[in-house]
Structures are given as structure tokens and as C-alpha cells.
Amino acid sequence: MGYSFLEPIKVGPHTLRNRIIKPAMAEYICNEDGTISDQFVEFYRRIAKGGAALIVPGISLLDDTQHEPPFFRGTKNPHLYDEKFIPGLRRVIDAVHEEGSLIMFQVWHSGCYVTPGGLVSMINEFSTEQIHDLEKKFLKATEIVKAAGADGVEFHMAHTYFASQLLSPTFNKRTDEYGCDTIENATRFAREVIEQINEKYCDDTFTCIVKLQGSDFTEDGITPDRAGQAAAILEKAGAKMFTVNAGGALVGYNYMSDNGHQPEGWKADFAATVKKYVSVPVAATGNIRHPDYIHQLIRDGRCDVVAMGREFYADPDWVRKCEEGREQELRYCVSCLYCFTQVPDDDSVPGCTVNPYCKCERAVPELRKDGAGRTVAVIGAGPSGLEAAVVLAERGFKPVIFERKNYLGGLVDLATVPPHKSKLRWIIDYYERQIRRLNIEVRLSCEATVEKLKEIEPYAVFVATGTDEVVPGRIPGIFGDNVYRVRDVLEKKVSFRGKKIAIIGGGMTGIETAHFLALKNNDVTVIEMLPEKTLPIADKLSFGDAFTDGVKIHYEHQLMNIEPDGINVKDLKTDTEKKIDVDAVILSMGIRPNMTLPIAVKENFENVIFVGDANKLGKIPNNIRSGADAAAALK
């Protein structure tokens, strides 16, 4: 197909080889001191190799001074305030250029204090002198970026950070020339910086683009039309492209990076509005994933370019696969927000749920095509077993998948049931497409036994048997008629409406199941033995959604016993007991490896490999990585 997004486009002095760009995000993979790490270089080299036309690393620090309270600076992201960072910057710039992509670094200031209650705007406290001093820091960073050989800078005016706060009546209460009384004043800082960047640094090798706030999602904040008016001013100042995003830290992270609520392209209309005000290219954002949808966006004139952030985590080869007609091989981002979690720098843990080597590019194995048609049994069609089967087939082995359920995906299939989790189904869809492409044999509703395995004479056996639920038999009443397991609910073996329900276990599975039941008009209380803890963004949003829809939780409460009409719990803080009346009790008390069959397999076959939870309990990304590594290592 002749996709519109594969056509080149001019951005200032540059020609982008296509219209797909990797926008700025916080990757957290530089060294602690802000120097460029090998991990950072290889991450961006890989995205460039996959075909992205332009790459913009994000939230680069350009102010190393200390404040009390401190301003938000991020961690392990590039520093741009001193010439000592130029050699490292040059390494990643050269790597990206070698693969045919352009690279521009983002110049940015958060404009936020870090307080115990969260981020707080500091925009109204800046003196005019401090604003002018900050302008100099933006220019110094630009000078360093250009000296390192980059193709430009991106001026960050989005996500409720400094420059977008100035544009927003929600935050900007200033009464001086940087106030919000006119659009000219609200854009003054941005215009002054961009004009100076153009005057001092822009030429036929270097340019300036802008990341623009399309909406604050507040009653009195930035609207798409206000963004468009600002863009018109900044185009005259020298901006050569606008990437339109929205939301941000001060209005809620769910408005910046969706966690499953929003449809594809939910911010594209903001870009379409801004496009009416300017003549330079405009890039759209917002959960944009699928080639046909992107083709239509550009063909309909709603944008000129599409910025895909998390999709490049999921599949760095997205552009290349579209160019080569390999769309069926695309892995799609499932909007889980796991990528906001910082990962170790030793390549041991992937930075994406679906891509086993995201931010671990140095660990990508070279796949030897030496399977020679040898049969390999894969027991279990969860994510680790499916990934192993795909890699084995790519190597030329003949995998045969045994799955006792009548569906693929294991616990991933159940994870799609709670609210806003339907995109997790894309993980299973990907493996279904690869099974068809690679002609992998799958035996559903087929319990693997030693006898059945012997029938196929496997060269090796991959054990991906997953987990069983933990049910502490010592708790009185735990096997009562009013007690159910969380998988019974997610598999829809039981259903409840208008009931009082207690869920025992306040991990993510328990909370998401509670949310699912609360939306069915049940009164749901979660009992969690551990204290409340700080959660990563993805978990925080899911917990918040559940509580908004009526789920209640008691932290530091221990289940003592279960009775036909309720549960008795102990408040561990006060050492007192109380009874909670409920109609049903649902157990979500953890998991353990299912080892009944694996022991028998180990006793009857020589070449047995354990993957996923059968090897070590972990989340979906760990399990997919486990399957990929083991299949690549099979000799």
C-alpha cells in the first residue's frame, strides 16, 4: 500500500525521509550524572534503524542549580548545561545519523517544585530577571546541542511545564509582560527564546521545532484555538514544526499518557486545529498505532506528521515493517504505562510489556537459523510460551504448543477483563498472527502429559505452565461456599450484581477485579495486609480509577476467618478485630508456580527448559523476555 506517512516532508532545512517521528519522552536511561550511557545510545540507534524519520530525546536538564524546595528535574536524562556533555551527545547523534534518521534534543524546564504533596507550579514566583536568566540557559543548551552535531532543538511548551504554564490562564497569574492578559504576553518567553535560537544558531543544518500544548483539560486553560494562536506567533519567530500534545503533570498524568481509557488518536483534533493557524508541518499525537489510521489522518489533512512515542517502545521496526509490507508482524503498544517504570542499566529487565528487548538493545541475541525442523514441545500458551514458540519457529524449529485451556494467552486473556484493559488483547492478537504466519501447531484444550509429549519425540521441552493461586488453608472458612477465587471472576465462571463483596489482597489483580465488580453495582471492599505504598504511575492511575468508582480499601488489615455472612479482620495498627458483613469473599492472595507436571517432565526428558512463571514469578514483560531468551539460547 502507498501509505501517505511514507512520503518525505520538509521541516526547515531538513527533509524527513518519512512522516513518522519519535517524540520526546523521559527514558531514564542516561547515567546518573546526565552523561550519555551505552544503553541510551543503543536505544536510539535501534529506533533509528527501524525507520523513524526524526528522534527527539526528552526532558534534557539545562539548569543544574539547586533550589529549596527542588524543582522537578527528572533522573537519568541528558544534561545540556556544560560543554563536558558534548562528547556523549555526539555518540548518540552519530549513531542515529548512521541509521539515516535526524535527531533534535529538547530544551526544557519543568517550572514545577517537588513537594510531599506532588508537583506545584512555580511560574508566578519567577522574577523577570530569573526569566531572562532562564532564556540564557535555553540558548546555552542549544549551543551545546549544535556543537555536538544535532539537527536542531525542540522547544518544550507542553505538558504543563514552564513555557506552557506561561501560556495557560489556569497557571499564569502574572501581571507583568509575561502575564496571560494577551496572547502576545503569554507567548513572550517562548517567542524571545525561539527568535534568539534562530538568530544565533539556525542555518541550513540546524533548526528549531516546538512541542505545543493543545489542551490543559481544565475549564480556563489552554484550548486548541489558543494553542493555534500561539503557534502562529511562534511560526513567525522561527518555529519550523509543531508537535501537538496535551495534559501533563499538573492536571493529571492520565491526560498526558492514556492508560487504556482513550481511543486511538484522541488528541489528533488538537493538531488539526493548530494546523489551521500555521503553514509549517504539524504532528499529531495520542495513542496512534495502526498504519491505516495514520494514513487516513494525513490524507485527510488533519496533520502532516505523526509522533509515536510508546509505539516505538513496543516495535522499533514499525516503519520498516510498513515499508516492507510486513504489517502482520507489528507489535502494538497496549497503553499499560509500564514503560514509565525505570529499569536497571544491565539489560536484565525490558522497558516495555510487549517488546522483550526495549531499553535492552545490547542484549538482543543473534538468532541462529539452525532449528533444522526439530520438534520442540511448548507446554502452556501464556506469553512466555507463545514468545518462545515464535522465536523457535523463526530459528527453524518446529514448535508444538500444548494448552489445557481452549484459548491462547494464559493470564493475559484474563487481564483483558477489568475496565480499560481491552488493549491487552493486542498481545494475544500479535501471537495469533505469528502462529498463522509461521504455521505453528497449537493444541488447545489439550492437557500435556508425558505420554502425549513422547508421541512427538521432542528435541526439547519448554515448560511454560504458569501459576496456581495461593489459598492459605490455615484460615478458618476459606473453603466455604461463599468463597471464590479471583480467576473464577475473571473467567466469568461466577458473576455478582448488587452484592457486598470482600476481595482479599490489594495487589493490582485484586484492585482491577474489585473495579470490574464495582461497575456491576456491587459494594466492594478490599482487604490488604500490607501498608499503603507509593505506586508507579500505571498502578496509581488504576487504583485511582477503582476508588473513583466506589471501591474501598483497608490497608494493614489481616483476614482472620470467614463466616457464611461475613469476614473477621484485624486492624494491625490498632490490634483490634471487627466483622465486615459481606455476601461473597474473593481471594486474590498471590500466585505460585504450577509444578505438578514440570516435575514429571523433568524426570522423563533430558532437554527441559523452564520459562516464564514456571522459572521465576514475574510480570508480563519478564515472562515474554524469559521465553525470548530461552528460545534464542536453545542449542
Side-chain angles (χ1 to χ4, degrees):
M1 178 178 179
Y3 290 120
S4 56
F5 58 78
L6 294 180
E7 299 170 359
I9 188 171
K10 288 279 290 182
V11 174
H14 303 298
T15 297
L16 274 61
R17 56 179 170 175
N18 57 63
R19 298 176 182 229
I20 303 296
I21 68 174
K22 162 64 172 67
M25 296 175 64
E27 262 79 47
Y28 308 113
I29 52 174
C30 282
N31 297 316
E32 291 285 353
D33 62 359
T35 55
I36 300 300
S37 66
D38 292 343
Q39 186 180 19
F40 189 89
V41 172
E42 297 310 315
F43 172 75
Y44 282 113
R45 184 197 305 274
R46 184 68 187 82
I47 293 174
K49 185 176 182 179
L54 167 65
I55 288 169
V56 186
I59 66 169
S60 306
L61 186 69
L62 48 84
D63 184 353
D64 66 328
T65 57
Q66 300 298 315
H67 297 267
E68 187 57 45
F71 66 84
F72 174 62
R73 350 167 10 122
T75 57
K76 301 185 71 174
N77 291 301
H79 290 189
L80 303 179
Y81 56 82
D82 193 284
E83 285 80 3
K84 67 182 180 181
F85 298 110
I86 290 176
L89 294 169
R90 188 171 291 134
R91 289 179 58 223
V92 68
I93 291 167
D94 289 346
V96 168
H97 284 166
E98 287 168 6
E99 302 297 344
S101 297
L102 300 174
I103 182 169
M104 304 181 190
F105 280 80
Q106 190 177 75
V107 287
W108 164 88
H109 191 285
S110 70
C112 301
Y113 289 124
V114 180
T115 73
L119 298 181
V120 177
S121 171
M122 58 201 294
I123 197 67
N124 299 307
E125 301 177 22
F126 264 58
S127 67
T128 302
E129 182 180 358
Q130 286 175 313
I131 289 178
H132 292 163
D133 183 59
L134 186 56
E135 289 179 359
K136 295 176 184 176
K137 294 179 186 295
F138 273 71
L139 296 174
K140 177 65 174 179
T142 302
E143 177 182 309
I144 288 170
V145 168
K146 183 170 184 180
D151 303 293
V153 290
E154 178 181 75
F155 180 86
H156 198 343
M157 197 175 183
H159 298 327
T160 68
Y161 294 131
F162 188 87
S164 70
Q165 288 178 37
L166 285 170
L167 180 61
S168 173
T170 295
F171 303 105
N172 188 351
K173 308 302 180 185
R174 302 177 67 95
T175 58
D176 61 4
E177 66 268 33
Y178 294 99
C180 250
D181 54 325
T182 67
I183 192 72
E184 287 76 19
N185 281 345
T187 57
R188 186 179 302 278
F189 173 77
R191 177 174 54 78
E192 289 175 345
V193 172
I194 292 170
E195 284 177 344
Q196 292 182 75
I197 287 175
N198 270 272
E199 177 184 347
K200 296 181 178 181
Y201 305 111
C202 290
D203 51 30
D204 59 358
T205 65
F206 195 86
T207 195
C208 178
I209 62 176
V210 173
K211 189 172 190 178
L212 182 65
Q213 184 81 335
S215 174
D216 281 338
F217 298 106
T218 58
E219 289 186 5
D220 60 348
I222 296 170
T223 64
D225 279 307
R226 185 172 180 82
Q229 294 166 18
I233 292 172
L234 300 183
E235 180 183 7
K236 291 179 181 178
K240 294 300 188 290
M241 184 174 77
F242 295 91
T243 297
V244 183
N245 213 299
L250 297 181
V251 295
Y253 285 106
N254 54 315
Y255 293 116
M256 180 167 63
S257 296
D258 171 59
N259 67 329
H261 292 65
Q262 302 293 348
E264 185 163 16
W266 64 294
K267 299 178 185 178
D269 284 345
F270 304 154
T273 298
V274 170
K275 186 168 164 54
K276 296 175 183 177
Y277 288 85
V278 297
S279 60
V280 296
V282 173
T285 64
N287 286 2
I288 301 176
R289 310 275 189 262
H290 294 85
D292 290 344
Y293 178 79
I294 295 172
H295 170 72
Q296 197 69 33
L297 273 181
I298 295 174
R299 191 177 70 175
D300 290 349
R302 296 173 66 193
C303 64
D304 306 289
V305 176
V306 163
M308 299 195 307
R310 291 179 290 169
E311 180 56 32
F312 275 120
Y313 287 16
D315 196 334
D317 285 323
W318 192 95
V319 174
R320 192 74 66 216
K321 288 176 180 177
C322 290
E323 289 175 335
E324 298 172 358
R326 297 161 52 210
E327 292 89 343
Q328 291 303 305
E329 297 178 44
L330 290 171
R331 290 188 195 248
Y332 291 113
C333 167
V334 295
S335 297
C336 67
L337 295 185
Y338 167 78
C339 56
F340 278 69
T341 303
Q342 293 190 41
V343 297
D345 59 8
D346 62 359
D347 302 322
S348 61
V349 179
C352 171
T353 289
V354 303
N355 176 3
Y357 298 107
C358 175
K359 300 183 184 179
C360 302
E361 286 72 21
R362 293 170 298 178
V364 175
E366 182 177 351
L367 293 187
R368 304 181 305 277
K369 306 289 185 177
D370 58 356
R374 289 172 289 178
T375 298
V376 177
V378 179
I379 308 173
S384 60
L386 291 172
E387 179 69 19
V390 169
V391 174
L392 289 167
E394 294 278 13
R395 290 188 55 196
F397 288 97
K398 181 185 176 184
V400 179
I401 301 173
F402 292 82
E403 171 54 54
R404 61 189 178 89
K405 299 287 188 181
N406 64 353
Y407 55 83
L408 297 177
L411 293 185
V412 173
D413 184 81
L414 301 187
T416 67
V417 174
H420 317 306
K421 299 298 179 182
S422 61
K423 290 177 183 175
L424 290 173
R425 176 71 209 183
W426 292 349
I427 298 175
I428 304 172
D429 292 344
Y430 165 78
Y431 288 115
E432 288 178 340
R433 294 195 303 272
Q434 304 327 300
I435 285 168
R436 292 192 297 270
R437 179 176 68 88
L438 297 166
N439 197 28
I440 296 173
E441 182 179 347
V442 180
R443 301 182 183 183
L444 296 178
S445 301
C446 182
E447 184 86 44
T449 64
V450 170
E451 292 72 24
K452 289 179 181 177
L453 294 173
K454 286 182 176 180
E455 288 175 2
I456 65 172
E457 299 179 350
Y459 169 72
V461 178
F462 275 59
V463 177
T465 46
T467 60
D468 291 325
E469 295 177 89
V470 172
V471 180
R474 66 182 182 278
I475 298 176
I478 202 163
F479 298 111
D481 293 339
N482 61 335
V483 181
Y484 305 87
R485 302 186 185 188
V486 71
R487 293 182 190 178
D488 294 334
V489 177
L490 298 177
E491 289 183 333
K492 301 180 182 178
K493 293 179 179 178
V494 296
S495 62
F496 304 93
R497 284 191 180 274
K499 301 294 185 181
K500 291 183 178 180
I501 299 174
I503 292 186
I504 313 303
M508 182 56 69
T509 300
I511 291 294
E512 290 182 343
T513 304
H515 192 193
F516 170 70
L517 291 169
L519 293 179
K520 294 183 178 295
N521 197 35
N522 295 293
D523 182 353
V524 187
T525 300
V526 177
I527 304 299
E528 171 54 52
M529 193 169 176
L530 297 176
E532 185 175 6
K533 63 181 180 180
T534 302
L535 299 169
I537 291 174
D539 292 1
K540 183 185 297 184
L541 293 177
S542 292
F543 274 58
D545 290 340
F547 299 153
T548 297
D549 288 326
V551 172
K552 301 177 288 294
I553 187 167
H554 295 303
Y555 289 105
E556 297 184 73
H557 277 65
Q558 180 181 359
L559 175 67
M560 303 305 293
N561 68 287
I562 302 172
E563 299 178 356
D565 60 348
I567 59 173
N568 290 300
V569 298
K570 177 188 284 189
D571 184 331
L572 298 177
K573 290 182 290 186
T574 63
D575 197 32
T576 58
E577 293 190 22
K578 63 182 177 181
K579 183 175 181 179
I580 301 175
D581 295 332
V582 296
D583 302 305
V585 179
I586 297 169
L587 307 179
S588 182
M589 303 179 74
I591 56 177
R592 60 188 171 201
N594 180 335
M595 296 305 293
T596 304
L597 175 63
I599 293 172
V601 171
K602 189 73 174 176
E603 292 173 348
N604 284 272
F605 298 90
E606 291 185 6
N607 200 1
V608 179
I609 300 99
F610 291 81
V611 297
D613 288 327
N615 180 51
K616 181 181 180 181
L617 293 179
K619 295 184 177 181
I620 297 172
N622 306 88
N623 289 343
I624 291 178
R625 172 67 177 272
S626 172
D629 281 347
L634 181 62
K635 295 181 179 179

